[in-house]
Amino acid sequence: SPNRFGSKTRIMILPKNYLKRLELEQLFDLAKFVVNENFKHHTSSIYPENYENDISSIFQEEMLYFKNAGIFVSKDEDNSIIGSIRVLRWNYKDILPIQKIFGINPLLLNGYDINKSIWHIGRFAIKKGVKDINLFKRLMVCAIAPICQDKNAVAYAECDSKLLRVMLALGIKATPVDKPINYLGSETIPVSMRYKDLIGFYNKNKSLVPVDFLTSTMNSELPKRVVSPVHQYNYSLV
């Protein structure tokens, strides 16, 4: 329709379920989405009194991780998040969720081999009511793309037991490394995934993600410190 200057106003129609890298200023939206969807899925939207503390905690963690991470979301035509995932290359200094929640030392699990690149995959969530297995696959492909460029890579994640069953069914060979605990309303299991456990799923499903988006995910858009080889770090955490 014509605007007050007589020319027509263009209305941008967003595609459905489009992939996007999340920017720094959108991290609070990510934290809120992840926490809300976890409680919607696992506790029928019954929130604990301090659930806002969970949002704040995740927001602060992701602010700390952001420079070494890639955060991917799927959005709908209203620009609302319907799915999310984050991949982080560990700098051997920041405290990973697997350390904070389970007290697990990733270096100990790897025999203190600093030649292996260590990654963490987290903040996976899909909006309740969305029934699209390809959405899960697209998000996972984005997260594991840089990991699948390094045969020495290992990734850690904290998976809901239901999600773990889906991952195994789809060919992602995730190995539990400790007993489950209750976290954000669900039974959560720490798992490890190596290059050989992910490459089959990646090769089978990478066609679901546009080539140009995937290429930028693996190279130019991730910070240089994320895609460059690990050399040596001083490790001082327990």
Side-chain angles (χ1 to χ4, degrees), residues 217-235:
T217 295
M218 292 186 294
N219 297 298
S220 61
E221 286 196 41
L222 283 177
K224 188 174 182 180
R225 61 177 65 86
V226 176
V227 296
S228 60
V230 174
H231 296 293
Q232 187 171 356
Y233 297 85
N234 293 321
Y235 181 75

Side-chain angles (χ1 to χ4, degrees), residues 79-99:
N79 203 33
S80 297
I81 298 175
I82 60 171
S84 66
I85 201 165
R86 186 264 295 124
V87 60
L88 163 74
R89 181 163 186 172
W90 191 31
N91 61 7
Y92 290 76
K93 298 176 183 179
D94 295 333
I95 298 176
L96 296 177
I98 196 169
Q99 296 170 282

Side-chain angles (χ1 to χ4, degrees), residues 6-206:
S7 60
K8 292 185 176 180
T9 301
R10 291 185 177 180
I11 300 175
M12 184 177 69
I13 300 175
L14 296 171
K16 186 177 181 180
N17 296 1
Y18 68 100
L19 287 170
K20 179 178 175 64
R21 282 184 61 94
L22 212 62
E23 302 298 333
L24 180 64
E25 61 271 15
Q26 298 170 306
L27 289 186
F28 187 80
D29 294 336
L30 170 75
K32 188 175 181 180
F33 174 76
V34 169
V35 172
N36 285 342
E37 291 306 320
N38 267 277
F39 284 115
K40 286 179 183 177
H41 281 279
H42 305 300
T43 65
S44 300
S45 299
I46 298 174
Y47 297 80
E49 291 183 1
N50 62 345
Y51 90 97
E52 291 183 352
N53 292 339
D54 292 329
I55 295 176
S56 178
S57 176
I58 288 176
F59 171 65
Q60 294 299 328
E61 281 186 354
E62 293 307 318
M63 287 283 288
L64 179 67
Y65 298 151
F66 187 77
K67 63 183 181 296
N68 293 322
I71 303 171
F72 308 97
V73 297
S74 181
K75 292 192 171 185
D76 62 18
E77 56 269 32
D78 295 322
N79 203 33
S80 297
I81 298 175
I82 60 171
S84 66
I85 201 165
R86 186 264 295 124
V87 60
L88 163 74
R89 181 163 186 172
W90 191 31
N91 61 7
Y92 290 76
K93 298 176 183 179
D94 295 333
I95 298 176
L96 296 177
I98 196 169
Q99 296 170 282
K100 182 178 179 180
I101 300 170
F102 290 92
I104 293 174
N105 184 338
L107 273 180
L108 183 61
L109 290 177
N110 283 278
Y112 290 89
D113 184 357
I114 62 173
N115 291 316
K116 288 186 171 68
S117 60
I118 297 178
W119 301 76
H120 181 267
I121 298 174
R123 310 316 179 204
F124 175 78
I126 291 180
K127 185 176 181 180
K128 188 174 182 179
V130 173
K131 306 293 184 182
D132 182 2
I133 191 62
N134 282 338
L135 174 56
F136 167 88
K137 292 178 180 179
R138 288 195 295 271
L139 290 170
M140 187 59 69
V141 165
C142 290
I144 68 175
I147 303 169
C148 287
Q149 306 309 304
D150 180 1
K151 291 185 178 180
N152 289 317
V154 58
Y156 295 99
E158 301 79 42
C159 291
D160 164 74
S161 56
K162 296 177 183 177
L163 172 61
L164 181 56
R165 288 195 292 271
V166 173
M167 291 168 60
L168 294 172
L170 292 175
I172 298 174
K173 301 172 185 177
T175 303
V177 295
D178 204 348
K179 296 178 180 179
I181 65 169
N182 187 279
Y183 178 67
L184 291 182
S186 68
E187 184 183 58
T188 302
I189 305 166
V191 300
S192 68
M193 296 168 285
R194 300 183 181 276
Y195 168 90
K196 62 183 177 63
D197 301 324
L198 299 171
I199 191 64
F201 173 88
Y202 176 76
N203 286 333
K204 184 177 180 179
N205 295 286
K206 62 183 179 180

